[in-house]
Amino acid sequence: RTRMSTMHETTVTAPVNIAVIKYWGKRDSALILPTNSSLSVTLSQDHLSTRTTIRASPDFPKDRLWLNGVEEDIAASKRLINSITTARNLRAALEQKLQEDGTTAETVVPLSKWSLHICSENNFPTAAGLASSASGYAALVSALGALFNLPQSTSDLSRVARVGSGSACRSMFGGFVAWQAGVSDDGHDSFAVQVADRQHWPELQALILVASDKKKAISSTAGMQTTVETSELFAERVRSVVPKRMEAMQRAITERDFATFAEITMRDSNQFHAVCLDTYPPISYMNDISRSIVSLVHAFNAARGRVAAAYTYDAGPNAVIYALKDDMRDLVELVTYCFPRDESTPPEAFYPDSFAIFDS
Ligand code: 2P0
């Protein structure tokens, strides 16, 4: 017997983002409120994204979720429960409002009371060690917003993505995105805003260099907690460095000033990794290949007599390089010459805008 009339389904995709001003540190771990604002570039959905389908039905006995085909235990994840429950509460409020407004009860589908089946897939190898929680929670919350027909703005919904994973709030937008840390205890002022859309600066490209596809030793969540508790350098970063950089970075993006954009990006990556080393016991995410790519980018810039490329590293050894289109062509040639790919390099390596793989 088909129950199509009572089945509702939505599919969305959400992209990965790479921070140029790094988020590292929480002032509230339960609500995922950061110690400092951050800023990122959202990558193209074609290469790195999560695709999530959600189905709601009165016939489902409970919520279930599959990640890349493997069922996850929702009850074991506070983050999943928090984000799903928050979206469901927004839907319940909407249903109540529609009823109060006089919409006949039969036309208000009680989606807030139905259970969900959630299916989420990354279009990139999870083993490649690239951030998947950002696109994952952004896709989940975008799909819930669409399924529930929520009237909230994207910035409002970014708050819901934030309680799943901090960096996910930035993946709710394309282009250049700031996550404003806020100062409140309840998180109402901690959400993402778009600084500029992708079309604002189409010549800017990102190249991803996979230096290792091993899983990282210390998770971001655990690592940043230890940093907050032990690093003195970190306190200085939060107090006096990041606020200045947030302003300068937004100006560089608005003015399409690549040299400034690139220098702040490299300096902020370097400071983030310095703060990790200042953590006690120290955290070290970059490896020898990461460090030789740093040297290569500085040599490339020195040879050009200007800042033509910028590296940035997250909580792992893989490099993301930003450059303008004309310089990216030469940079890719240089990198492939210095780091010849081995047999195991997957054939999907491509550029521009951009995904190249170099195995150690
Ligand atoms: C960032 N990272 O700004 C920084 C730079 C890693 C290094 O956001 O605990 O996975 O889920 O809020 O978002 C990684 O942190 O941590 C991260 P949670 P998340 O992109």
Side-chain angles (χ1 to χ4, degrees):
R1 186 158 84 93
T2 78
R3 298 288 301 267
M4 287 308 287
S5 60
T6 54
M7 205 184 65
H8 289 243
E9 185 181 294
T10 303
T11 298
V12 306
T13 60
V16 161
N17 73 76
I18 304 291
V20 290
I21 309 274
K22 303 296 188 188
Y23 151 52
W24 194 254
K26 296 184 182 74
R27 62 177 201 270
D28 183 315
S29 321
L31 292 172
I32 310 197
L33 300 177
T35 50
N36 57 269
S37 295
S38 57
L39 201 148
S40 58
V41 181
T42 297
L43 300 189
S44 155
Q45 303 227 13
D46 302 342
H47 305 324
L48 299 171
S49 63
T50 303
R51 182 188 184 83
T52 296
T53 298
I54 306 185
R55 191 177 277 188
S57 164
D59 298 337
F60 294 154
K62 60 164 190 165
D63 291 340
R64 295 177 72 182
L65 179 143
W66 292 263
L67 255 187
N68 298 315
V70 179
E71 182 160 12
E72 299 281 314
D73 182 9
I74 295 179
S77 167
K78 275 210 176 70
R79 291 158 177 253
L80 281 172
I81 294 170
N82 277 353
S83 39
I84 295 169
T85 306
T86 307
R88 199 172 251 142
N89 289 344
L90 293 173
R91 170 67 194 186
L94 173 65
E95 287 168 12
Q96 191 178 349
K97 183 175 179 297
L98 288 173
Q99 263 154 26
E100 282 166 9
D101 287 355
T103 315
T104 52
E106 301 91 86
T107 61
V108 181
V109 183
L111 288 174
S112 68
K113 298 193 178 68
W114 296 1
S115 287
L116 307 171
H117 282 185
I118 303 166
C119 218
S120 190
E121 310 256 354
N122 296 329
N123 73 346
F124 52 94
T126 317
L130 298 159
S132 58
S133 71
S135 55
Y137 277 99
L140 173 68
V141 171
S142 298
L144 288 167
L147 178 78
F148 291 161
N149 205 14
L150 295 180
Q152 276 75 16
S153 69
T154 307
S155 280
D156 286 338
L157 290 178
S158 80
R159 262 191 240 111
V160 186
R162 192 204 71 221
V163 302
S165 180
S167 54
C169 74
R170 300 187 311 236
S171 271
M172 296 295 285
F173 289 99
F176 303 83
V177 187
W179 172 12
Q180 299 172 347
V183 293
S184 68
D185 288 338
D186 66 359
H188 73 272
D189 54 357
S190 187
F191 54 82
V193 293
Q194 192 181 53
V195 171
D197 62 19
R198 187 70 187 94
Q199 284 68 48
H200 170 72
W201 204 354
E203 303 81 20
L204 184 78
Q205 295 184 333
L207 174 73
I208 297 171
L209 306 176
V210 177
S212 164
D213 59 9
K214 292 196 184 63
K215 209 173 137 52
K216 58 192 168 205
I218 302 167
S219 75
S220 301
T221 308
M224 67 174 81
Q225 190 54 37
T226 314
T227 299
V228 172
E229 287 160 9
T230 64
S231 169
E232 289 175 33
L233 185 57
F234 169 76
E236 184 63 13
R237 164 174 171 74
V238 168
R239 189 183 64 80
S240 75
V241 180
V242 174
K244 272 194 310 223
R245 285 188 182 160
M246 283 297 290
E247 265 187 41
M249 183 57 100
Q250 293 188 52
R251 204 174 321 122
I253 290 165
T254 304
E255 296 169 359
R256 297 187 204 89
D257 172 358
F258 183 79
T260 304
F261 170 89
E263 185 174 330
I264 299 172
T265 296
M266 292 186 278
R267 284 180 179 275
D268 205 71
S269 174
N270 294 342
Q271 188 174 75
F272 155 53
H273 291 279
V275 150
C276 286
L277 279 185
D278 190 49
T279 299
Y280 193 81
I283 303 167
S284 177
Y285 285 123
M286 292 166 69
N287 65 18
D288 287 346
I289 295 174
S290 322
R291 283 184 284 272
S292 46
I293 292 169
V294 168
S295 303
L296 188 67
V297 168
H298 283 290
F300 180 75
N301 290 342
R304 300 247 135 156
R306 61 188 167 86
V307 187
Y311 52 78
T312 186
Y313 297 80
D314 286 333
N318 302 326
V320 175
I321 308 221
Y322 289 111
L324 299 179
K325 197 170 177 209
D326 290 344
D327 292 313
M328 188 62 97
R329 212 168 312 148
D330 299 340
L331 190 76
V332 169
E333 220 168 274
L334 178 66
V335 172
T336 28
Y337 175 77
C338 296
F339 300 91
R341 299 140 170 240
D342 67 19
E343 299 297 296
S344 67
T345 302
E348 71 263 22
F350 45 78
Y351 98 103
D353 190 17
S354 221
F355 190 36
I357 298 193
F358 300 89
D359 228 295
S360 48

